Amino acid sequence: MKTLTLVIGAVYGVLSVILGAFGAHAFKKILSTERLESFETGVRYQMYAAFFLLFVGYILKFETKSENWISWLMILGALLFSFSIYLLAFQDYWGTNLKFLGPITPIGGLLMIVSWVMLIFYFVKAKL
């Protein structure tokens, strides 16, 4: 689990940089200001998740289910949160209605929040 957490953290990081660059340059020409701002929010939170995963990948031993869940919740939460935002940002450009993805974004955000709260409990319990 440690290796998976670190690899996904690094993948999220590199994708954030790549998508951020596209957002700053190529997507600026095809997305409205409002959609571009949403896209950038997805990129920003994906990078936060990347840092989080790299951090917990180094500090956790992944010996308990709760330690594994800290990682899994962030991995899944960032995927749902950021990628639903990316798809929603492009729905006008693609001429499709992806509004059904709207409820996915807050579910992803909630999973990320739960992951952070579990990390807080880990710190309190470990008395670091």
Side-chain angles (χ1 to χ4, degrees):
M1 189 65 201
K2 183 179 215 52
T3 301
L4 180 67
T5 298
L6 292 169
V7 168
I8 292 177
V11 168
Y12 279 3
V14 74
L15 284 176
S16 294
V17 173
I18 292 167
L19 292 172
F22 273 103
H25 302 289
F27 298 159
K28 189 182 273 189
K29 299 172 185 171
I30 61 173
L31 297 178
S32 69
T33 302
E34 180 182 336
R35 296 288 188 199
L36 188 59
E37 287 175 3
S38 291
F39 184 87
E40 290 170 349
T41 297
V43 170
R44 186 170 50 255
Y45 278 83
Q46 184 177 330
M47 184 58 84
Y48 296 155
F51 287 139
F52 179 97
L53 291 168
L54 293 171
F55 175 72
V56 300
Y58 278 106
I59 67 162
L60 298 181
K61 294 177 183 164
F62 297 98
E63 295 171 340
T64 66
K65 286 184 180 183
S66 64
E67 288 176 297
N68 290 328
W69 274 109
I70 289 169
S71 182
W72 278 118
L73 289 169
M74 185 58 70
I75 290 167
L76 184 58
L79 185 73
L80 294 175
F81 182 85
S82 292
F83 286 85
S84 64
I85 289 176
Y86 300 151
L87 292 172
L88 287 166
F90 279 93
Q91 71 180 344
D92 296 338
Y93 179 73
W94 292 331
T96 58
N97 184 351
L98 300 175
K99 292 186 182 189
F100 68 91
L101 292 173
I104 301 297
T105 307
I107 291 170
L110 179 61
L111 295 178
M112 293 170 77
I113 291 167
V114 172
S115 181
W116 277 105
V117 170
M118 288 182 72
L119 184 62
I120 292 167
F121 283 122
Y122 169 82
F123 288 148
V124 169
K125 185 178 176 184
K127 297 180 183 172
L128 299 175

